[in-house]
Amino acid sequence: MGSVVYTQPDGTVRELLAEPGQSVMQLATKNGVRGILAQCGGTLSCATCHVYVDERDLADCGPLADFEDDMLDTTAADRLDCSRLSCQVKVGDGQIIHVTIPPTQL
């Protein structure tokens, strides 16, 4: 198992256990994490699951594909160097990923 630590814009923190291969978005929507809308359900056709990945975890989240890179240009909140779409970030066995949810997705 791995885990994801979600930090809300107000500073509230919630940690959830994840199955290996589960996306940060799937875990969030399954457990009612506020702020990850995932309107497209993880098909990489929107940017409503935008998160900021903690820099210490960014290298372990896999490469940023060209299409994800393009979709990140459409986020409602500012895009940062650590921005990722949570539907594209998979949790590895024993991995802990820290993400901050932007203040808006729309």
Side-chain angles (χ1 to χ4, degrees):
M1 298 223 78
S3 67
V4 180
V5 179
Y6 299 91
T7 302
Q8 294 290 330
D10 68 2
T12 303
V13 176
R14 183 174 178 195
E15 183 172 5
L16 297 170
L17 293 177
E19 295 292 330
Q22 189 172 31
S23 76
V24 171
M25 182 222 62
Q26 290 169 326
L27 184 62
T29 58
K30 180 180 176 183
N31 290 282
V33 174
R34 291 178 293 113
I36 296 184
L37 304 180
Q39 289 183 321
C40 73
T43 62
L44 196 57
S45 61
C46 75
T48 60
C49 67
H50 176 215
V51 294
Y52 301 122
V53 177
D54 190 289
E55 290 190 17
R56 65 185 162 195
D57 302 324
L58 200 54
D60 296 328
C61 290
L64 181 66
D66 290 341
F67 198 70
E68 180 183 3
D69 190 30
D70 291 343
M71 289 303 299
L72 283 167
D73 287 337
T74 68
T75 59
D78 290 339
R79 179 183 178 168
L80 305 177
D81 290 340
C82 61
S83 288
R84 292 294 303 264
L85 296 180
S86 62
C87 65
Q88 299 302 299
V89 178
K90 309 289 186 205
V91 181
D93 192 24
Q95 182 181 23
I96 301 173
I97 300 174
H98 298 82
V99 300
T100 300
I101 299 169
T104 185
Q105 296 284 4
L106 296 173

